[in-house]
Amino acid sequence: MNTANGVKTAMDIEEEATIKELVGKDGSLEEIVEQAETGLEDGFLDYFLDDGETPEDPLCHLLDQICKENAGEKDNKENVDPFGNRSNGQQSYNSVLFGLYPDQQAASSIGPIRLKEKKKMVSKPYDLAAPVDASVHRDVTAPEVRHILDSPVADAIDTKRTVGDVNNWLKLNGVNQTKFAEKVLEKTQGHFSVISRNPAPWEELLAPEKAVFVRMHNWMKLSDEEKNKILNTEKVSMKKDLQEKEKKPRFTFSKEQMVVLMGIYEINDRPGKELIEELAAKFSLSFNQIKDFFLNRRRRAKKSNL
DNA sequence: TGCCAGTCAATACA
DNA sequence: TGTATTGACTGGCA
């Protein structure tokens, strides 16, 4: 029942009828609840916390290309950084000059964080008032440039603010999510969309997703010129192989299936093995499809409640 | 083995 | 056309 006060609405009654009809129970919803509760005893309440591991691969191919382009022009453009900025000074490039916070020279804070090990982290405000002075950069190698985006941060990143800054920049500069996600983050548009709509607090992120925020954080410290250089590089598709693959149509649960599954989910979001098997048989779907439905629902509900 | 977070990618939606 | 949603997959963990 969806109503908070326990009074059934017409929609509830209709939904119940549909559930009964589709699940094939001649009894009541209570029967489904009973099955769902049986499922609870099957160990579905076990919770595990995951450790993160390897950070994202660096932006090697993109940055390699930037540097190749500039290498070809090197004879005529001494003291030019990977973004084509001329240097007028004696300083050679280093990560500090290239807009890194001093704290970023320290060890990374990216690492697996278990819930039980959670500790309050102090969020460092994102300092947009300290743009990179691109004029002092020169002789930058690909690994140095790569270091910029993947450069570790010592303090917690304010994920909401970082995402907000990135989105504002994208809007102001007419850059869409797809371009930014693929060229800067090396992620898909959909992934960036999910992250940016509801960014989890830094301390709750595991290493892989922290790495994405580190990239955004470091990205925001580049000058507009530097940002655009990266955004406008030739697309080196990481998905070349994938593009050649056959398109796999995505299955969508029918309205009726959704009614039943959501009805059960509202009663018990962790149905047991038997109930999942029963539902799979009823809908002629696989066990994994039903299992994944509940898995995804739980995860997304949890995220949206952050 | 099942759950989880992270992620991809198809597609629904505005 | 750009963004949001979501089914499905992967690898790590206990």
Side-chain angles (χ1 to χ4, degrees):
Chain A
M1 196 189 311
N2 293 322
T3 50
N5 58 11
V7 179
K8 289 182 185 180
T9 63
M11 193 182 283
D12 288 327
I13 293 165
E14 189 187 346
E15 193 172 279
E16 272 190 27
T18 318
I19 291 171
K20 283 179 198 170
E21 188 187 332
L22 288 164
V23 176
K25 300 289 170 193
D26 41 51
S28 61
L29 264 179
E30 281 70 21
E31 208 168 334
I32 301 173
V33 178
E34 201 178 312
Q35 285 197 19
E37 284 171 350
T38 307
L40 273 175
E41 293 165 12
D42 290 338
F44 275 81
L45 282 177
D46 289 342
Y47 246 98
F48 300 99
L49 286 163
D50 208 2
D51 282 341
E53 209 177 36
T54 317
E56 295 303 304
D57 287 338
L59 204 56
C60 311
H61 50 279
L62 286 176
L63 297 169
D64 279 342
Q65 190 168 346
I66 294 168
C67 287
K68 268 181 204 164
E69 281 175 12
N70 284 286
E73 300 167 2
K74 200 175 180 181
D75 288 344
N76 297 324
K77 290 187 179 180
E78 275 189 13
N79 301 336
V80 170
D81 71 14
F83 300 97
N85 298 313
R86 278 193 170 280
S87 166
N88 57 0
Q90 304 80 10
Q91 294 167 291
S92 62
Y93 168 84
N94 66 39
S95 59
V96 175
L97 287 175
F98 210 80
L100 298 181
Y101 289 137
D103 58 53
Q104 289 179 318
Q105 305 305 306
S108 172
S109 64
I110 302 176
I113 293 184
R114 289 165 185 269
L115 201 58
K116 60 187 175 188
E117 293 169 358
K118 269 188 196 172
K119 55 181 178 186
K120 198 72 190 168
M121 299 172 105
V122 181
S123 174
K124 180 172 181 170
Y126 191 92
D127 184 10
L128 286 179
V132 178
D133 178 5
S135 65
V136 297
H137 310 137
R138 57 174 179 171
D139 299 327
V140 191
T141 65
E144 284 171 331
V145 180
R146 191 181 308 138
H147 179 72
I148 295 162
L149 288 178
D150 287 327
S151 180
V153 295
D155 293 315
I157 289 175
D158 183 337
T159 55
K160 266 194 177 171
R161 182 170 180 173
T162 301
V163 154
D165 289 340
V166 168
N167 275 321
N168 285 340
W169 191 91
L170 295 181
K171 231 174 227 175
L172 279 171
N173 292 273
V175 176
N176 63 38
Q177 287 188 355
T178 307
K179 195 172 186 181
F180 176 76
E182 288 181 356
K183 297 208 170 177
V184 178
L185 304 180
E186 288 188 294
K187 300 294 173 198
T188 59
Q189 172 273 325
H191 187 199
F192 175 69
S193 174
V194 170
I195 288 174
S196 62
R197 278 179 64 76
N198 212 347
W202 174 259
E203 59 267 26
E204 288 182 14
L205 299 175
L206 297 174
E209 204 155 344
K210 278 187 176 175
V212 175
F213 279 98
V214 167
R215 277 202 175 185
M216 285 193 248
H217 178 86
N218 289 334
W219 162 261
M220 281 309 299
K221 289 186 312 209
L222 299 176
S223 70
D224 282 359
E225 193 182 352
E226 291 157 353
K227 289 187 180 90
N228 283 317
K229 269 274 181 188
I230 291 181
L231 286 172
N232 294 324
T233 51
E234 194 70 24
K235 184 176 180 181
V236 183
S237 179
M238 55 182 172
K239 303 171 193 98
K240 208 169 183 179
D241 292 340
L242 291 172
Q243 283 171 349
E244 286 163 9
K245 278 184 186 172
E246 205 178 320
K247 249 193 174 183
K248 189 181 173 187
R250 198 179 73 183
F251 165 78
T252 315
F253 288 106
S254 71
K255 194 180 169 189
E256 289 76 17
Q257 289 167 342
M258 209 50 139
V259 168
V260 175
L261 293 171
M262 285 308 292
I264 293 172
Y265 177 83
E266 288 195 13
I267 296 163
N268 176 14
D269 63 358
R270 292 169 190 276
K273 195 177 170 186
E274 283 174 16
L275 182 55
I276 291 177
E277 276 170 354
E278 196 179 327
L279 287 166
K282 194 75 202 168
F283 295 138
S284 302
L285 296 173
S286 72
F287 180 87
N288 278 350
Q289 282 179 300
I290 305 295
K291 184 199 72 183
D292 283 348
F293 170 84
F294 286 97
L295 207 60
N296 284 322
R297 283 280 151 188
R298 282 200 299 275
R299 181 150 49 116
R300 284 160 185 159
K302 186 182 165 190
K303 279 214 164 189
S304 65
N305 287 333
L306 278 174

